[in-house]
């Protein structure tokens, strides 16, 4: 009766050793994966900080360009105003000769017939 129990005991020990080895392999793989994920997370964090810095500098540059465009528009408006004679140039300028849309030809015979 001791012989089958010894075989069973030996078989259970082998199963336990195999199970432990399998668990150790899986734990090692999980630890390696965790280390890799943490490394990648650190890289992503660094890249995110870099991108935030780039975004901030681009926003600053965009604001600077917008300010310059506003200044250019203002200078352009001032130059156009000078070119036209100022803001009130339309009110102060001499009136232009207006041409009527309808012209009536003068008939020389009618003028002579009135006498």
């Amino acid at each position: 009766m001791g012989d089958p129990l010894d075989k069973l005991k030996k078989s259970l020990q082998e199963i336990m050793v195999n199970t432990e080895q399998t668990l150790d392999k899986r734990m090692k793989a999980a630890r390696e994966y965790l280390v890799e994920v943490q490394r990648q997370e650190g890289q992503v964090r660094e890249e995110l900080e870099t991108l935030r810095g780039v975004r901030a500098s681009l926003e600053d540059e965009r604001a600077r360009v917008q300010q310059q465009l506003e200044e250019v528009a203002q200078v352009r408006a001032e130059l156009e105003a000078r070119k036209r004679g100022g803001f009130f140039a339309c009110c102060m300028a001499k009136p232009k000769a207006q041409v009527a849309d309808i012209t009536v030809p003068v008939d020389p015979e009618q003028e002579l017939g009135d006498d």
Side-chain angles (χ1 to χ4, degrees):
M1 218 154 134
D3 196 25
L5 287 176
D6 288 336
K7 285 184 180 180
L8 181 60
K9 187 178 178 181
K10 186 176 181 180
S11 175
L12 287 174
Q13 285 176 347
E14 288 175 1
I15 290 173
M16 288 293 289
V17 167
N18 286 338
T19 303
E20 286 178 5
Q21 289 175 349
T22 303
L23 285 174
D24 287 343
K25 287 179 185 177
R26 289 187 179 176
M27 287 295 289
K28 182 181 178 184
R31 280 189 207 106
E32 290 172 354
Y33 182 72
L34 178 63
V35 167
E36 179 64 21
V37 167
Q38 288 173 341
R39 184 188 65 77
Q40 289 177 355
E41 184 180 18
Q43 285 179 336
V44 168
R45 203 175 292 125
E46 289 173 4
E47 289 175 8
L48 184 60
E49 288 301 316
T50 302
L51 290 174
R52 284 181 180 153
V54 168
R55 173 183 273 170
S57 67
L58 286 174
E59 288 175 358
D60 291 344
E61 186 68 21
R62 182 184 304 159
R64 189 178 67 77
V65 167
Q66 183 63 32
Q67 182 181 6
Q68 288 176 344
L69 287 174
E70 290 171 3
E71 290 172 3
V72 166
Q74 183 180 4
V75 168
R76 180 178 288 153
E78 290 173 3
L79 288 175
E80 287 292 324
R82 287 182 191 166
K83 181 179 174 183
R84 292 186 191 133
F87 182 73
F88 294 106
C90 61
C91 301
M92 307 281 279
K94 293 181 182 178
K96 293 182 181 178
Q98 295 182 353
V99 178
D101 291 350
I102 301 174
T103 56
V104 179
V106 177
D107 188 13
E109 290 179 13
Q110 281 184 343
E111 289 180 9
L112 295 176
D114 289 338
D115 288 0

PDB file of all heavy atoms in Angstrom, residues 58-77:
ATOM      1  N   LEU A  58       4.462  77.932 -29.904  1.00  0.00           N
ATOM      2  CA  LEU A  58       3.683  78.212 -31.116  1.00  0.00           C
ATOM      3  C   LEU A  58       2.547  79.199 -30.833  1.00  0.00           C
ATOM      4  O   LEU A  58       2.263  80.078 -31.654  1.00  0.00           O
ATOM      5  CB  LEU A  58       3.111  76.922 -31.700  1.00  0.00           C
ATOM      6  CG  LEU A  58       4.098  76.012 -32.413  1.00  0.00           C
ATOM      7  CD1 LEU A  58       3.427  74.707 -32.817  1.00  0.00           C
ATOM      8  CD2 LEU A  58       4.714  76.681 -33.608  1.00  0.00           C
ATOM      9  N   GLU A  59       1.914  79.063 -29.686  1.00  0.00           N
ATOM     10  CA  GLU A  59       0.853  80.000 -29.332  1.00  0.00           C
ATOM     11  C   GLU A  59       1.425  81.404 -29.130  1.00  0.00           C
ATOM     12  O   GLU A  59       0.807  82.392 -29.535  1.00  0.00           O
ATOM     13  CB  GLU A  59       0.115  79.528 -28.084  1.00  0.00           C
ATOM     14  CG  GLU A  59      -0.775  78.324 -28.346  1.00  0.00           C
ATOM     15  CD  GLU A  59      -1.417  77.761 -27.098  1.00  0.00           C
ATOM     16  OE1 GLU A  59      -1.155  78.268 -25.983  1.00  0.00           O
ATOM     17  OE2 GLU A  59      -2.189  76.802 -27.227  1.00  0.00           O
ATOM     18  N   ASP A  60       2.602  81.486 -28.510  1.00  0.00           N
ATOM     19  CA  ASP A  60       3.256  82.787 -28.355  1.00  0.00           C
ATOM     20  C   ASP A  60       3.584  83.384 -29.719  1.00  0.00           C
ATOM     21  O   ASP A  60       3.377  84.576 -29.964  1.00  0.00           O
ATOM     22  CB  ASP A  60       4.535  82.658 -27.516  1.00  0.00           C
ATOM     23  CG  ASP A  60       4.252  82.338 -26.065  1.00  0.00           C
ATOM     24  OD1 ASP A  60       3.095  82.509 -25.629  1.00  0.00           O
ATOM     25  OD2 ASP A  60       5.197  81.910 -25.359  1.00  0.00           O
ATOM     26  N   GLU A  61       4.104  82.561 -30.595  1.00  0.00           N
ATOM     27  CA  GLU A  61       4.453  83.016 -31.939  1.00  0.00           C
ATOM     28  C   GLU A  61       3.203  83.449 -32.702  1.00  0.00           C
ATOM     29  O   GLU A  61       3.211  84.465 -33.397  1.00  0.00           O
ATOM     30  CB  GLU A  61       5.178  81.901 -32.700  1.00  0.00           C
ATOM     31  CG  GLU A  61       5.701  82.309 -34.053  1.00  0.00           C
ATOM     32  CD  GLU A  61       6.838  83.306 -33.985  1.00  0.00           C
ATOM     33  OE1 GLU A  61       7.500  83.412 -32.937  1.00  0.00           O
ATOM     34  OE2 GLU A  61       7.069  83.989 -34.992  1.00  0.00           O
ATOM     35  N   ARG A  62       2.116  82.688 -32.556  1.00  0.00           N
ATOM     36  CA  ARG A  62       0.867  83.042 -33.221  1.00  0.00           C
ATOM     37  C   ARG A  62       0.355  84.388 -32.714  1.00  0.00           C
ATOM     38  O   ARG A  62      -0.090  85.225 -33.500  1.00  0.00           O
ATOM     39  CB  ARG A  62      -0.195  81.975 -32.971  1.00  0.00           C
ATOM     40  CG  ARG A  62      -1.506  82.275 -33.693  1.00  0.00           C
ATOM     41  CD  ARG A  62      -2.586  81.291 -33.379  1.00  0.00           C
ATOM     42  NE  ARG A  62      -2.166  79.944 -33.675  1.00  0.00           N
ATOM     43  CZ  ARG A  62      -2.726  78.865 -33.147  1.00  0.00           C
ATOM     44  NH1 ARG A  62      -3.717  78.985 -32.299  1.00  0.00           N
ATOM     45  NH2 ARG A  62      -2.301  77.657 -33.465  1.00  0.00           N
ATOM     46  N   ALA A  63       0.436  84.611 -31.419  1.00  0.00           N
ATOM     47  CA  ALA A  63      -0.003  85.891 -30.850  1.00  0.00           C
ATOM     48  C   ALA A  63       0.868  87.029 -31.371  1.00  0.00           C
ATOM     49  O   ALA A  63       0.360  88.116 -31.702  1.00  0.00           O
ATOM     50  CB  ALA A  63       0.043  85.829 -29.330  1.00  0.00           C
ATOM     51  N   ARG A  64       2.175  86.789 -31.477  1.00  0.00           N
ATOM     52  CA  ARG A  64       3.087  87.809 -31.979  1.00  0.00           C
ATOM     53  C   ARG A  64       2.773  88.135 -33.439  1.00  0.00           C
ATOM     54  O   ARG A  64       2.719  89.301 -33.829  1.00  0.00           O
ATOM     55  CB  ARG A  64       4.536  87.337 -31.831  1.00  0.00           C
ATOM     56  CG  ARG A  64       5.569  88.414 -32.127  1.00  0.00           C
ATOM     57  CD  ARG A  64       6.976  87.919 -31.916  1.00  0.00           C
ATOM     58  NE  ARG A  64       7.373  86.892 -32.858  1.00  0.00           N
ATOM     59  CZ  ARG A  64       7.729  87.116 -34.130  1.00  0.00           C
ATOM     60  NH1 ARG A  64       7.734  88.337 -34.604  1.00  0.00           N
ATOM     61  NH2 ARG A  64       8.084  86.122 -34.916  1.00  0.00           N
ATOM     62  N   VAL A  65       2.536  87.103 -34.239  1.00  0.00           N
ATOM     63  CA  VAL A  65       2.211  87.319 -35.657  1.00  0.00           C
ATOM     64  C   VAL A  65       0.872  88.050 -35.777  1.00  0.00           C
ATOM     65  O   VAL A  65       0.729  88.956 -36.609  1.00  0.00           O
ATOM     66  CB  VAL A  65       2.184  85.974 -36.412  1.00  0.00           C
ATOM     67  CG1 VAL A  65       1.548  86.114 -37.784  1.00  0.00           C
ATOM     68  CG2 VAL A  65       3.595  85.408 -36.539  1.00  0.00           C
ATOM     69  N   GLN A  66      -0.099  87.686 -34.950  1.00  0.00           N
ATOM     70  CA  GLN A  66      -1.396  88.363 -34.982  1.00  0.00           C
ATOM     71  C   GLN A  66      -1.237  89.841 -34.649  1.00  0.00           C
ATOM     72  O   GLN A  66      -1.837  90.702 -35.292  1.00  0.00           O
ATOM     73  CB  GLN A  66      -2.372  87.703 -34.001  1.00  0.00           C
ATOM     74  CG  GLN A  66      -3.756  88.306 -34.020  1.00  0.00           C
ATOM     75  CD  GLN A  66      -4.449  88.131 -35.351  1.00  0.00           C
ATOM     76  OE1 GLN A  66      -4.256  87.159 -36.047  1.00  0.00           O
ATOM     77  NE2 GLN A  66      -5.258  89.105 -35.718  1.00  0.00           N
ATOM     78  N   GLN A  67      -0.405  90.133 -33.659  1.00  0.00           N
ATOM     79  CA  GLN A  67      -0.158  91.528 -33.289  1.00  0.00           C
ATOM     80  C   GLN A  67       0.507  92.269 -34.451  1.00  0.00           C
ATOM     81  O   GLN A  67       0.138  93.396 -34.765  1.00  0.00           O
ATOM     82  CB  GLN A  67       0.726  91.601 -32.043  1.00  0.00           C
ATOM     83  CG  GLN A  67       1.001  93.007 -31.570  1.00  0.00           C
ATOM     84  CD  GLN A  67       1.906  93.035 -30.352  1.00  0.00           C
ATOM     85  OE1 GLN A  67       2.419  92.010 -29.933  1.00  0.00           O
ATOM     86  NE2 GLN A  67       2.116  94.212 -29.809  1.00  0.00           N
ATOM     87  N   GLN A  68       1.464  91.630 -35.101  1.00  0.00           N
ATOM     88  CA  GLN A  68       2.123  92.258 -36.236  1.00  0.00           C
ATOM     89  C   GLN A  68       1.130  92.502 -37.379  1.00  0.00           C
ATOM     90  O   GLN A  68       1.179  93.542 -38.044  1.00  0.00           O
ATOM     91  CB  GLN A  68       3.287  91.395 -36.722  1.00  0.00           C
ATOM     92  CG  GLN A  68       4.470  91.396 -35.772  1.00  0.00           C
ATOM     93  CD  GLN A  68       5.574  90.462 -36.237  1.00  0.00           C
ATOM     94  OE1 GLN A  68       5.365  89.600 -37.089  1.00  0.00           O
ATOM     95  NE2 GLN A  68       6.753  90.618 -35.650  1.00  0.00           N
ATOM     96  N   LEU A  69       0.237  91.537 -37.615  1.00  0.00           N
ATOM     97  CA  LEU A  69      -0.771  91.718 -38.666  1.00  0.00           C
ATOM     98  C   LEU A  69      -1.698  92.884 -38.347  1.00  0.00           C
ATOM     99  O   LEU A  69      -2.074  93.647 -39.243  1.00  0.00           O
ATOM    100  CB  LEU A  69      -1.582  90.432 -38.840  1.00  0.00           C
ATOM    101  CG  LEU A  69      -0.868  89.280 -39.532  1.00  0.00           C
ATOM    102  CD1 LEU A  69      -1.726  88.029 -39.501  1.00  0.00           C
ATOM    103  CD2 LEU A  69      -0.493  89.638 -40.959  1.00  0.00           C
ATOM    104  N   GLU A  70      -2.052  93.025 -37.076  1.00  0.00           N
ATOM    105  CA  GLU A  70      -2.885  94.152 -36.682  1.00  0.00           C
ATOM    106  C   GLU A  70      -2.147  95.470 -36.890  1.00  0.00           C
ATOM    107  O   GLU A  70      -2.736  96.445 -37.356  1.00  0.00           O
ATOM    108  CB  GLU A  70      -3.323  94.002 -35.226  1.00  0.00           C
ATOM    109  CG  GLU A  70      -4.321  92.884 -35.019  1.00  0.00           C
ATOM    110  CD  GLU A  70      -4.590  92.582 -33.555  1.00  0.00           C
ATOM    111  OE1 GLU A  70      -4.039  93.280 -32.674  1.00  0.00           O
ATOM    112  OE2 GLU A  70      -5.356  91.642 -33.282  1.00  0.00           O
ATOM    113  N   GLU A  71      -0.862  95.492 -36.570  1.00  0.00           N
ATOM    114  CA  GLU A  71      -0.066  96.698 -36.776  1.00  0.00           C
ATOM    115  C   GLU A  71       0.032  97.031 -38.261  1.00  0.00           C
ATOM    116  O   GLU A  71      -0.082  98.192 -38.658  1.00  0.00           O
ATOM    117  CB  GLU A  71       1.329  96.529 -36.180  1.00  0.00           C
ATOM    118  CG  GLU A  71       1.349  96.498 -34.658  1.00  0.00           C
ATOM    119  CD  GLU A  71       2.713  96.148 -34.098  1.00  0.00           C
ATOM    120  OE1 GLU A  71       3.675  95.980 -34.875  1.00  0.00           O
ATOM    121  OE2 GLU A  71       2.816  96.023 -32.868  1.00  0.00           O
ATOM    122  N   VAL A  72       0.233  96.010 -39.094  1.00  0.00           N
ATOM    123  CA  VAL A  72       0.312  96.218 -40.540  1.00  0.00           C
ATOM    124  C   VAL A  72      -1.015  96.757 -41.056  1.00  0.00           C
ATOM    125  O   VAL A  72      -1.042  97.687 -41.880  1.00  0.00           O
ATOM    126  CB  VAL A  72       0.702  94.903 -41.260  1.00  0.00           C
ATOM    127  CG1 VAL A  72       0.465  94.991 -42.752  1.00  0.00           C
ATOM    128  CG2 VAL A  72       2.150  94.554 -40.984  1.00  0.00           C
ATOM    129  N   ALA A  73      -2.125  96.209 -40.578  1.00  0.00           N
ATOM    130  CA  ALA A  73      -3.436  96.686 -41.012  1.00  0.00           C
ATOM    131  C   ALA A  73      -3.639  98.143 -40.616  1.00  0.00           C
ATOM    132  O   ALA A  73      -4.185  98.939 -41.387  1.00  0.00           O
ATOM    133  CB  ALA A  73      -4.539  95.808 -40.420  1.00  0.00           C
ATOM    134  N   GLN A  74      -3.197  98.493 -39.428  1.00  0.00           N
ATOM    135  CA  GLN A  74      -3.328  99.874 -38.970  1.00  0.00           C
ATOM    136  C   GLN A  74      -2.478 100.811 -39.824  1.00  0.00           C
ATOM    137  O   GLN A  74      -2.943 101.872 -40.246  1.00  0.00           O
ATOM    138  CB  GLN A  74      -2.925  99.989 -37.506  1.00  0.00           C
ATOM    139  CG  GLN A  74      -3.103 101.373 -36.931  1.00  0.00           C
ATOM    140  CD  GLN A  74      -2.690 101.434 -35.468  1.00  0.00           C
ATOM    141  OE1 GLN A  74      -2.207 100.463 -34.916  1.00  0.00           O
ATOM    142  NE2 GLN A  74      -2.881 102.584 -34.863  1.00  0.00           N
ATOM    143  N   VAL A  75      -1.243 100.423 -40.095  1.00  0.00           N
ATOM    144  CA  VAL A  75      -0.364 101.252 -40.930  1.00  0.00           C
ATOM    145  C   VAL A  75      -0.941 101.366 -42.334  1.00  0.00           C
ATOM    146  O   VAL A  75      -0.939 102.452 -42.927  1.00  0.00           O
ATOM    147  CB  VAL A  75       1.069 100.667 -40.951  1.00  0.00           C
ATOM    148  CG1 VAL A  75       1.914 101.321 -42.014  1.00  0.00           C
ATOM    149  CG2 VAL A  75       1.719 100.796 -39.581  1.00  0.00           C
ATOM    150  N   ARG A  76      -1.468 100.280 -42.846  1.00  0.00           N
ATOM    151  CA  ARG A  76      -2.065 100.305 -44.180  1.00  0.00           C
ATOM    152  C   ARG A  76      -3.255 101.257 -44.215  1.00  0.00           C
ATOM    153  O   ARG A  76      -3.406 102.038 -45.154  1.00  0.00           O
ATOM    154  CB  ARG A  76      -2.502  98.900 -44.596  1.00  0.00           C
ATOM    155  CG  ARG A  76      -3.142  98.869 -45.978  1.00  0.00           C
ATOM    156  CD  ARG A  76      -3.517  97.492 -46.405  1.00  0.00           C
ATOM    157  NE  ARG A  76      -2.292  96.760 -46.706  1.00  0.00           N
ATOM    158  CZ  ARG A  76      -2.178  95.453 -46.622  1.00  0.00           C
ATOM    159  NH1 ARG A  76      -3.189  94.719 -46.242  1.00  0.00           N
ATOM    160  NH2 ARG A  76      -1.043  94.866 -46.928  1.00  0.00           N
ATOM    161  N   ALA A  77      -4.075 101.208 -43.183  1.00  0.00           N
ATOM    162  CA  ALA A  77      -5.231 102.108 -43.127  1.00  0.00           C
ATOM    163  C   ALA A  77      -4.778 103.558 -43.048  1.00  0.00           C
ATOM    164  O   ALA A  77      -5.362 104.433 -43.698  1.00  0.00           O
ATOM    165  CB  ALA A  77      -6.108 101.753 -41.925  1.00  0.00           C
TER     166      ALA A  77
END
